[in-house]
Amino acid sequence: RENSELRRGDAVSSEMLGDSAAYKVLKSNLDKVTGTNGRVMLTGPAGAGKEVAARYIHANSNRASSPFVSVNSASIEPERMEEVLFGRENGERGIEAGLLEQAHGGVLYFDEVADMPLGTQSKILRVLVDQQFQRVGGSDKVRVDIRVVSSTNRSLAEEIAAGTFREELFHRLNVVPVVVPSLEERREDIPLLAGHFIEE
């Protein structure tokens, strides 16, 4: 558990860098949501820094001392998604907590939420409505207190029209939409970012 927590915590920094107008708009928008519990949807192209923005929200919120758990919707096999999210119970191994339980009190970040299988979307929607779920193989209800931040580099309106994303889930996750600008939109920040990564 400690290894997985360390892997989760150290993979991406929450430090935001920039001087450009696009960066200042982004930071201002993020600062407005750090003090709330509203669900945030971060949109922007791959590599724009959506996870850094999500970690910035967490690090500057009243949940900063609680976990930040990232769910890579594309890398988990659809047949394992429910076990990974909700955990499982069986006689031999007892209770294995899923990512939802591990994020209790903190932030759960759905990275590239458009890649989530439709069946899992329905179950996540139910969790957001009920604030509780059952582990795979279990019968008890598990209640969690989590703030959900999501991201996508695709048009969810197009995914909804194509029938691959649930409209109701979109409305639940897209309470506060925040656009994360691409590097192309903030070119003047490149020397600053390059210098930072060289130092790192």
Side-chain angles (χ1 to χ4, degrees):
R1 195 182 302 121
E2 282 177 11
N3 281 342
S4 65
E5 279 175 13
L6 287 168
R7 273 203 304 276
R8 278 204 307 271
D10 294 341
V12 181
S13 166
S14 64
E15 188 180 0
M16 303 267 294
L17 294 169
D19 285 317
S20 65
Y23 167 81
K24 286 172 182 168
V25 169
L26 169 64
K27 190 164 182 303
S28 169
N29 288 335
L30 293 176
D31 286 338
K32 285 174 193 165
V33 299
T34 53
T36 72
N37 264 324
R39 297 184 192 119
V40 179
M41 176 69 75
L42 301 164
T43 57
K50 296 186 293 293
E51 185 168 347
V52 176
R55 288 180 180 273
Y56 178 86
I57 292 170
H58 171 250
N60 292 280
S61 74
N62 58 5
R63 295 175 180 261
S65 58
S66 298
F68 178 96
V69 175
S70 181
V71 181
N72 187 326
S73 308
S75 71
I76 303 168
E77 303 91 339
E79 61 275 10
R80 287 200 62 241
M81 182 70 90
E82 286 178 42
E83 239 174 52
V84 170
L85 288 175
F86 304 128
R88 62 181 175 182
E89 290 181 38
N90 62 42
E92 290 171 27
R93 301 175 72 167
I95 293 172
E96 292 179 54
L99 296 179
L100 283 165
E101 273 181 271
Q102 291 172 34
H104 180 63
V107 170
L108 185 70
Y109 172 58
F110 286 118
D111 188 16
E112 298 306 337
V113 72
D115 294 320
M116 189 182 286
L118 266 173
T120 309
Q121 290 177 32
S122 304
K123 292 190 166 64
I124 288 296
L125 179 58
R126 203 168 308 131
V127 172
L128 296 178
V129 172
D130 299 340
Q131 295 288 303
Q132 59 183 16
F133 59 91
Q134 284 175 296
R135 300 182 193 97
V136 175
S139 54
D140 292 337
K141 297 280 188 191
V142 181
R143 293 193 72 84
V144 286
D145 166 30
I146 50 176
R147 180 179 188 182
V148 176
V149 178
S150 313
S151 75
T152 182
N153 62 11
R154 307 218 294 263
S155 165
L156 289 181
E158 288 176 16
E159 300 293 327
I160 291 165
T164 56
F165 200 81
R166 290 182 59 103
E167 187 170 3
E168 198 181 339
L169 179 60
F170 169 72
H171 292 305
R172 291 271 174 185
L173 295 176
N174 192 47
V175 177
V176 185
V178 175
V179 176
V180 180
S182 67
L183 209 54
E184 191 176 3
E185 295 171 78
R186 42 181 295 209
R187 291 183 181 204
E188 55 268 54
D189 291 336
I190 292 174
L192 182 69
L193 290 164
H196 169 75
F197 288 124
I198 289 166
E199 270 185 42
E200 289 274 288

